[in-house]
Amino acid sequence: MAIVETAAEAGDPHSGTSDEVAARSDVRGADGFVHLQASGVSLVLDCRGPRLPRVLHWGRALPHASDADLSALALASLPATVPNSLDTPALVAVVPEPATGWFGLPGVQGHRDGRHWSPLFETEHVGLHDRGAGEGGEVAVLASDAGCGLSLELRLDLTVGGVLRMRAALRNTGSGWYTLDGLVMALPVPAEATELLDFTGRWSRERDPQRRAFSAGAHVRDGRRGRTGSDASFILIAGEKGFGFRSGQVWGIHVGWSGNHRTYAERLPTGESVVGGGELLQSGEVRLAPGASYETPWVYAAHGDGLDEMAARFHRLVRSGRGGRSGRSGRGGPRPVIVNTWEAVYFDHDLGRLTALVDAAAEVGAERFVLDDGWFRGRRDDRAGLGDWFVDEARWPEGLHPLVEHVRAQGMDFGLWAEPEMVNPDSDLARAHPDWIMAVEGRQPSLVRHQQALDLRRQEAYQYILERLDALVSEYRIAFLKWDHNRDLIDAGVHEQTRAVYRLMDELRARHPELEIESCSSGGARVDLGILEYTDRVWASDCIDGIERQAIQRWTALLLPPELIGSHVGSARSHTTGRTQSLALRAGTALFGHFGIEWDLTAASGEERAELRRWVQLYKGMRGWLHRGLVVRADHPDPALWLHGIVSPDRDQGLFSLVAMATGARTQPGRVRIPGLDPKQRYRVYPLAPGDRPGTTAVTPNPWLAEGVMVTGQALAEVGLSAPPLHPEQLLLLHITKA
C-alpha cells in the first residue's frame, strides 16, 4: 500500500517540521560537535563535514569535557590504516550507509525500479535545541542525496531523564515512485560490551530472558506477528561481562512500535559494534509517491551502570508522559484496585452471580469492577460474536444498567472488556461485511481462536468500531476499557493497520478524556512504548501464578514502572499452571504492580476475604509513593532467592519482597543485600504484615525478624541481613523506614 501522507500528517506531537529545524542555528558553523548531558548521561555527536553525524560517545556523563576535548575525542576515535583497506573500520552514522564502507545492516533499504538502492546523504543543516543545565536537548539533521532523489530528516532527543529517543523521516524528492524496504537507526557500543541480553516467550510466559556472548556477526530479532508479540525481544541490551541489576555498564534499545519490528546487535570483524532497530516493513508495503515521506517510530536507547539504572531512566521517561501515558497517576490520582471477572465467571454472565461478586469486591475494598468477555450478542464462548458490539439482549434485557448501577452503588467505577480489532466469522458483522475481514488477494488467513482481524484500514470499518465504542462508553459511563487483541496478524498490511489502531485509540480518548485503556493482547503480547502513547497500563500476562508473575514483572519492569503493569491476585490454585500458592505470595506479587483481583470472591472463605482486605488496605496506604518510587533489585548469588523492592522518592522508606523461587542451593541462604537507600541514613527494617509469616525450614527464626533491626543504608547495601531459610514459593515482605 502506497504511503502518500507527509511527515507532518503522520502525526507525532513531539515532531517539528523541516522548516522549524532549518530555523534553528546550524551547529556546523561552530566547532561541529554537539555535547548534550542529562541525568548522568552524555551524548556526543560529530557533525563536521558533509556526511551524516556520527556518535562519538553515548554513555556515562562527561561533565568536564571542553570543545578541545571533544575534538581530541574525535581524533582519537579514528582507526589506524591497515594494508588491506577492506579491513579498515568504517565511521558509522546514526543511519548506517554502505557507501561509506559499512558492511553491516544498511540504515536505508529500498530502490527506485532497481536503482538508487545505496544513497549517500549529504548533511545540509544541523539544528540544536539545548535545554541547558544538564537537561538534555534535541538535535535535528536535514540531509539529502540529490542523485537518488531522497531527503532524510533525523531527530535525536536526549530527554531530561537520560533516555535517547531517535526518529528518522525519509522523503521521496525524485520524479518516480520509491519502494522503501527498511529504515533503521543504530548506535555504537564499545568493545567492553561483550554480552547480550534480550527476551523471548510465549503465551503465559512473556519476556523470558536469554543471554549470549556478543560475538562477531548479527544478532537480529524480527517480530513478524503484526503485533509486538509474546516472543518479542522487548529490550535488546549489550553490556559488560557479567552485568547485573546493580553492576556493569549496559546499553539498551527498544523500538516503540506495536506492529512488525526489528532490533539487532551487530559486531563486524573490523571491530565496529552497534545496536539498533526500527519498524520491519514487508516487501512493497511502503511505496513513496513523489513528495511523500515515511517516518519511523521512535527508537529508545538508555545507558546505565547496571540494569536498575537503565530501567530507572525508562521509568522517568514514561512517568514524564513523553514516552507513554501515565493514566490516573499522571493526573495525580491513585491507581484504583480492580476486580476483573474473567477467572471468576468466564463466559457465565448471570446478573445474580455478578452482583454477588460486586458485593464481595466491595467487601475487600475494590474500587473498580471490570466485566470481561461474554457480554455482547451471541457470545457464549470464543467462537462467535466478535464485532457485534451490542449488549446481548437475551442475557441483558435491560442492558448492562442493572449491573452498572449496582457497581456504582457499592462505590466503584465500571470497566468493560472489548476486542475491537477482531471479528468472528460467526457474527452479524462478518455476515454483513465479509469484505471488512483483513485478507490478501481474496484469500482469508487461517482462523486463530475462531477469529479474524478486522481491516481498520478501511474507513467504513474504522468508523463503525469507533462509533460502537463511543456509544458504549457514553451510555454506561465506562471508566476503563480492557482492550484485547487475541491473534497474530497473517497476510496483513501491518503498517497501516497499526497506525489505524493508534488513531482509533487516540480519537476515542479525545471524545472521552477520562477514559483509561489497558493494552491487553493474549495477555502481554502488546507491551511497548508505542501502544503506551495511547493507553494507561498493560496486562503483563494471562498467567497470574505468583511465581511466574515474579519473573514476568521482574523483566517487564526493565521498561515500565510498576503502576503501568496490571497485576492481579488469582485463586489459590492457578488457572494457568495448576499450582496452589499462599495468598501472601499471590498478593505480595500483585502489590508491586497496579493491584487487582481476578478470583471468584464469592467462593473464597471469610478468612481469605479478610486477609485479602488487609492486602488491599496495605496497597492503598502505600501506592502514593510506590508509584513514584525507585525500583530496586538485588544481585544474589543463589538464583533461587530474589529480592526486589521500591524506595520512596525522598528515600525515607522502602518496601521490599524476599521471594524463594525454588529450593535454595544451601541450607542457609546467607546474607541478602538491600540496595537503593540513603547510605548515610539509619533505617529500621522489619517484617510487614500480612506478608510477615512465610513458611520456613527454621526451628527458630532469625533473631532480627522478631523486633526488626536498626542499620544504615550503607550497611544494608554492602553487608546485608541474614535471610531466613524460606520454603519454596514463599514471600517475606520487609518495610524499611527512616529512624
Side-chain angles (χ1 to χ4, degrees):
M1 179 173 291
I3 308 302
V4 297
E5 77 278 359
T6 65
E9 290 171 339
D12 179 80
H14 307 301
S15 293
T17 66
S18 299
D19 290 340
E20 291 171 346
V21 174
R24 300 172 181 170
S25 60
D26 193 336
V27 300
R28 295 178 305 158
D31 53 25
F33 296 100
V34 172
H35 181 198
L36 298 174
Q37 297 185 70
S39 188
V41 173
S42 275
L43 172 68
V44 181
L45 293 172
D46 184 352
C47 302
R48 301 172 301 168
R51 300 278 71 87
L52 292 176
R54 64 188 183 99
V55 176
L56 294 179
H57 174 72
W58 161 52
R60 289 173 179 162
L62 305 173
H64 307 299
S66 65
D67 292 343
D69 293 328
L70 299 182
S71 181
L73 180 65
L75 179 64
S77 69
L78 294 175
T81 301
V82 296
N84 184 352
S85 62
L86 293 179
D87 290 331
T88 301
L91 301 179
V92 188
V94 176
V95 175
E97 298 175 290
T100 66
W102 171 250
F103 292 104
L105 181 70
V108 176
Q109 296 183 75
H111 65 93
R112 194 189 309 274
D113 296 327
R115 299 176 296 116
H116 303 160
W117 46 265
S118 180
L120 181 62
F121 291 100
E122 182 172 341
T123 298
E124 300 172 353
H125 188 90
V126 180
L128 171 64
H129 172 58
D130 190 343
R131 301 186 188 98
E135 298 292 311
E138 184 181 45
V139 178
V141 180
L142 298 179
S144 65
D145 182 335
C148 284
L150 297 172
S151 68
L152 183 69
E153 181 177 333
L154 305 178
R155 291 182 173 275
L156 292 90
D157 178 14
L158 184 65
T159 67
V160 173
V163 173
L164 176 61
R165 305 187 314 153
M166 308 183 297
R167 168 169 275 178
L170 185 74
R171 184 179 298 276
N172 179 10
T173 59
S175 57
W177 288 80
Y178 183 83
T179 300
L180 179 64
D181 292 324
L183 177 52
V184 297
M185 306 181 77
L187 291 167
V189 293
E192 288 78 9
T194 59
E195 291 184 359
L196 297 175
L197 168 67
D198 65 358
F199 299 86
T200 182
R202 59 171 175 80
W203 177 76
S204 284
R205 193 182 171 89
E206 296 86 345
R207 286 164 293 288
D208 192 14
Q210 53 184 17
R211 288 179 82 137
R212 56 169 286 180
F214 191 176
S215 54
H219 178 67
V220 182
R221 295 295 310 281
D222 287 349
R224 302 177 183 272
R225 296 180 177 275
R227 53 179 174 171
T228 319
S230 299
D231 61 342
S233 60
F234 190 53
I235 305 175
L236 191 154
I237 299 160
E240 295 177 327
K241 183 176 178 60
F243 68 85
F245 287 107
R246 307 299 299 178
S247 64
Q249 288 194 84
V250 294
W251 295 263
I253 198 155
H254 168 81
V255 178
W257 179 247
S258 308
N260 293 343
H261 58 282
R262 165 173 287 174
T263 54
Y264 71 100
E266 191 165 23
R267 174 159 283 163
L268 301 190
T270 44
E272 312 100 308
S273 302
V274 299
V275 292
E279 183 182 5
L280 182 65
L281 297 175
Q282 299 176 97
S283 180
E285 189 175 24
V286 172
R287 297 184 67 238
L288 300 177
S293 67
Y294 162 83
E295 188 172 52
T296 70
W298 286 111
V299 177
Y300 298 85
H303 168 269
D305 279 295
L307 294 170
D308 274 1
E309 186 174 72
M310 181 199 74
R313 300 193 198 285
F314 279 127
H315 294 182
R316 184 174 179 184
L317 173 74
V318 173
R319 285 169 170 167
S320 74
R322 295 185 63 81
R325 304 181 65 91
S326 294
R328 282 193 172 187
S329 64
R331 295 193 287 269
R335 302 299 291 173
V337 177
I338 289 177
V339 165
N340 182 274
T341 66
W342 180 242
E343 288 196 2
V345 303
Y346 291 103
F347 292 106
D348 185 12
H349 284 203
D350 172 79
L351 180 58
R353 185 177 181 187
L354 287 167
T355 53
L357 185 59
V358 170
D359 294 339
E363 178 188 338
V364 300
E367 299 161 302
R368 172 174 289 166
F369 188 88
V370 180
L371 183 65
D372 213 288
D373 194 359
W375 55 268
F376 47 98
R377 284 180 184 166
R379 191 68 164 178
R380 301 297 183 269
D381 51 36
D382 63 4
R383 296 174 178 271
L386 287 178
D388 297 342
W389 302 114
F390 296 86
V391 176
D392 191 320
E393 298 89 347
R395 276 184 166 175
W396 303 94
E398 300 178 67
L400 298 178
H401 293 291
L403 177 64
V404 174
E405 289 168 6
H406 192 71
V407 168
R408 293 211 171 89
Q410 290 284 20
M412 293 179 281
D413 61 29
F414 180 72
L416 193 65
W417 178 95
E419 195 173 357
E421 301 159 66
M422 299 294 159
V423 60
N424 287 122
D426 185 5
S427 67
D428 292 340
L429 181 68
R431 286 184 283 271
H433 300 285
D435 53 324
W436 289 9
I437 294 175
M438 183 172 284
V440 173
E441 299 170 353
R443 179 188 67 242
Q444 288 193 3
S446 57
L447 286 175
V448 176
R449 203 174 179 256
H450 313 292
Q451 66 191 60
Q452 297 282 12
L454 193 64
D455 192 348
L456 295 176
R457 301 171 301 173
R458 299 180 66 106
Q459 184 58 32
E460 58 271 39
Y462 174 97
Q463 201 62 36
Y464 164 79
I465 294 297
L466 175 62
E467 296 307 325
R468 288 311 313 140
L469 294 176
D470 180 30
L472 288 164
V473 174
S474 298
E475 181 176 358
Y476 295 107
R477 291 184 290 135
I478 294 170
F480 177 87
L481 196 61
K482 180 178 178 180
W483 188 302
D484 215 337
H485 180 280
N486 277 313
R487 66 157 294 161
D488 296 327
L489 302 186
I490 303 170
D491 279 354
V494 174
H495 174 77
E496 286 298 326
Q497 179 79 354
T498 305
R499 288 164 55 88
V501 171
Y502 286 170
R503 288 196 305 272
L504 181 61
M505 290 180 171
D506 202 32
E507 189 162 353
L508 186 64
R509 289 294 297 260
R511 295 186 183 189
H512 303 278
E514 296 302 311
L515 175 68
E516 293 186 26
I517 299 176
E518 175 185 73
S519 173
C520 177
S521 185
S522 305
R526 190 153 66 179
V527 176
D528 61 81
L529 293 185
I531 202 69
L532 277 165
E533 289 280 358
Y534 309 95
T535 59
D536 300 276
R537 78 169 204 171
V538 302
W539 183 231
S541 177
D542 280 342
C543 180
I544 51 177
D545 172 295
I547 289 294
E548 298 295 327
R549 264 306 183 107
Q550 282 284 330
I552 292 166
Q553 290 171 205
R554 180 185 185 92
W555 300 114
T556 304
L558 284 185
L559 182 69
L560 302 184
E563 66 272 18
L564 268 66
I565 304 172
S567 185
H568 293 182
V569 181
S571 59
R573 186 176 186 275
S574 169
H575 288 209
T576 53
T577 68
R579 285 192 289 219
T580 300
Q581 298 165 337
S582 69
L583 181 51
L585 175 64
R586 287 140 52 211
T589 300
L591 186 65
F592 290 88
H594 181 182
F595 190 96
I597 301 159
E598 197 148 338
W599 177 10
D600 185 1
L601 295 176
T602 64
S605 68
E607 292 78 9
E608 286 176 318
R609 289 199 298 271
E611 184 181 350
L612 180 58
R613 181 173 179 82
R614 295 176 69 197
W615 283 100
V616 169
Q617 290 170 337
L618 178 62
Y619 169 78
K620 289 180 178 179
M622 290 189 165
R623 63 187 169 188
W625 64 266
L626 285 177
H627 295 168
R628 296 182 296 112
L630 179 70
V631 174
V632 176
R633 286 152 292 211
D635 293 307
H636 193 271
D638 187 345
L641 192 65
W642 286 11
L643 182 129
H644 66 91
I646 300 175
V647 176
S648 64
D650 54 9
R651 295 202 288 183
D652 66 338
Q653 64 178 315
L655 185 68
F656 283 81
S657 175
L658 185 66
V659 184
M661 299 292 290
T663 56
R666 295 176 294 276
T667 304
Q668 293 288 344
R671 293 192 181 108
V672 60
R673 295 172 177 172
I674 303 177
L677 297 155
D678 184 344
K680 299 178 182 179
Q681 180 64 51
R682 293 185 64 81
Y683 295 93
R684 180 174 175 243
V685 186
Y686 58 94
L688 183 64
D692 58 342
R693 298 183 181 277
T696 78
T697 61
V699 177
T700 59
N702 302 60
W704 70 270
L705 287 173
E707 299 294 334
V709 65
M710 199 81 70
V711 67
T712 66
Q714 183 179 48
L716 287 171
E718 298 297 335
V719 181
L721 302 174
S722 177
L726 300 175
H727 284 309
E729 301 186 17
Q730 293 292 303
L731 176 147
L732 173 65
L733 202 61
L734 299 175
H735 193 196
I736 303 177
T737 57
K738 187 168 64 175

